[in-house]
Amino acid sequence: MADHLGATVRELAGPPNLALLYPKALLTAFGRRGEGLPTTQYLRRPVTVDPGHLARYAEVCGFTAGDELPLTYPHVLAFPMAMRLMTDGDFPFPLPGLVHVGNRITRRRPLRAGEPLELRVWVENLRPHEKGRQLDVVSTASVAGEEVWTDVSTYLRRGGGSSAAGSGERAEPPAPTAVWRVTDDIGRRYAAVSGDRNPIHLHPLTARLFGFPRAIAHGMWTKARCLAELAGRLPDACTVDVRFRAPVLLPATVHFASWAEPDGWGFAVHDAATGRPHLEGTAGHALSD
């Protein structure tokens, strides 16, 4: 990972209050934002897992409940810290309109529910994109000083892109290995366990305010649901990298497909009727930093 010796580390006594941060997130659409990336790094320790919350998360995402944390679970523990960082005044972009376009998680070994975690969150790698600018929100989980889990969420701010977009040609979707019927309440159910109560996920009326005809599923729910399908097929040390394509409009029927690759698995989620891609990903042995 990048060198963060110049970071200002702010240790938090508890999780930031998302009920206060969401109104603040909406207000970031007004007024001047920072020009570069903030140098703040938020830290929480120790963070303990609530077994009841873990069980509810597993149920919503399709995992079998147990002592081992699902690969995506620490993301929800770090999410309030990421929201705190992105609503700070020196974060360069307003949150309304910021698009979560990708997520890569590396696990160096499985995490257990009884292990106290040290969580850190920061932002890095502001860069041009053909449709605007991108940056990464990085979250890590350490146990006894050893970093064992790293999450890189890539966000896109549209506007002022560096080049023309691609042709938009769509490849034939792979043959499905499972069919999901995604209910219209999955956004509210995932919001309840993740804390991500972005209005675009909660109700058709609030989603329309942001340009969506219906509420949409969370990208991280879709990734978690894919990993539930891949249960038992990933090594202890693994990297799972996904790109979020078109949103899943709720309710929906989608096709999940997985296939073997030389170093693990490829997988994808497509609309069952149109073949439109929602998510594309790879899963395999852990990549070096």
Side-chain angles (χ1 to χ4, degrees):
M1 303 300 295
D3 184 2
H4 300 283
L5 293 178
T8 301
V9 179
R10 297 181 180 176
E11 186 162 357
L12 303 172
N17 188 334
L18 288 170
L20 298 177
L21 289 178
Y22 269 101
K24 187 177 179 182
L26 293 175
L27 291 174
T28 62
F30 307 97
R32 185 175 176 83
R33 307 294 294 168
E35 293 296 330
L37 291 183
T39 59
T40 304
Q41 182 181 114
Y42 282 116
L43 165 68
R44 276 191 65 212
R45 59 185 175 187
V47 178
T48 57
V49 172
D50 176 355
H53 181 262
L54 175 60
R56 292 191 297 274
Y57 177 87
E59 191 275 329
V60 169
C61 298
F63 294 106
T64 300
D67 180 61
E68 183 178 316
L69 301 187
L71 186 76
T72 46
Y73 182 73
H75 180 93
V76 304
L77 299 180
F79 177 73
M81 299 165 66
M83 279 291 292
R84 170 73 180 270
L85 190 60
M86 290 192 288
T87 53
D88 284 347
D90 55 355
F91 187 77
F93 304 126
L95 268 67
L98 199 64
V99 183
H100 193 188
V101 295
N103 176 268
R104 183 179 75 252
I105 296 175
T106 295
R107 179 182 70 186
R108 292 156 187 84
R109 66 164 177 83
L111 288 165
R112 302 292 173 183
E115 295 183 298
L117 305 176
E118 177 182 291
L119 299 178
R120 292 178 184 264
V121 176
W122 67 90
V123 295
E124 65 182 25
N125 199 16
L126 181 63
R127 59 200 185 275
H129 182 272
E130 63 184 15
K131 295 181 181 179
R133 287 188 289 171
Q134 289 188 138
L135 56 78
D136 296 327
V137 177
V138 183
S139 307
T140 65
S142 300
V143 177
E146 176 196 8
E147 186 178 305
V148 293
W149 178 94
T150 305
D151 174 297
V152 180
S153 281
T154 300
Y155 290 88
L156 169 67
R157 176 65 178 178
R158 291 193 175 99
S162 59
S163 64
S167 66
E169 292 182 5
R170 185 183 303 167
E172 186 70 19
T177 53
V179 178
W180 305 345
R181 289 176 175 83
V182 188
T183 58
D184 61 0
D185 66 346
I186 198 63
R188 294 186 292 276
R189 293 173 59 209
Y190 184 77
V193 297
S194 70
D196 186 351
R197 291 183 170 86
N198 187 322
I200 63 178
H201 303 300
L202 303 181
H203 193 276
L205 292 178
T206 54
R208 286 182 197 129
L209 295 175
F210 295 90
F212 296 97
R214 305 197 300 274
I216 67 173
H218 295 73
M220 290 304 295
W221 174 85
T222 310
K223 178 172 182 173
R225 186 68 186 83
C226 290
L227 292 178
E229 291 283 354
L230 294 171
R233 288 187 268 177
L234 300 184
D236 286 349
C238 60
T239 294
V240 181
D241 194 3
V242 304
R243 298 286 106 184
F244 302 119
R245 305 301 186 188
V248 178
L249 297 171
L250 301 173
T253 300
V254 301
H255 287 164
F256 170 81
S258 63
W259 56 91
E261 293 194 339
D263 189 41
W265 297 88
F267 58 96
V269 177
H270 289 80
D271 182 90
T274 67
R276 191 181 190 191
H278 296 302
L279 177 150
E280 297 165 348
T282 58
H285 293 285
L287 301 174
S288 60
D289 292 341

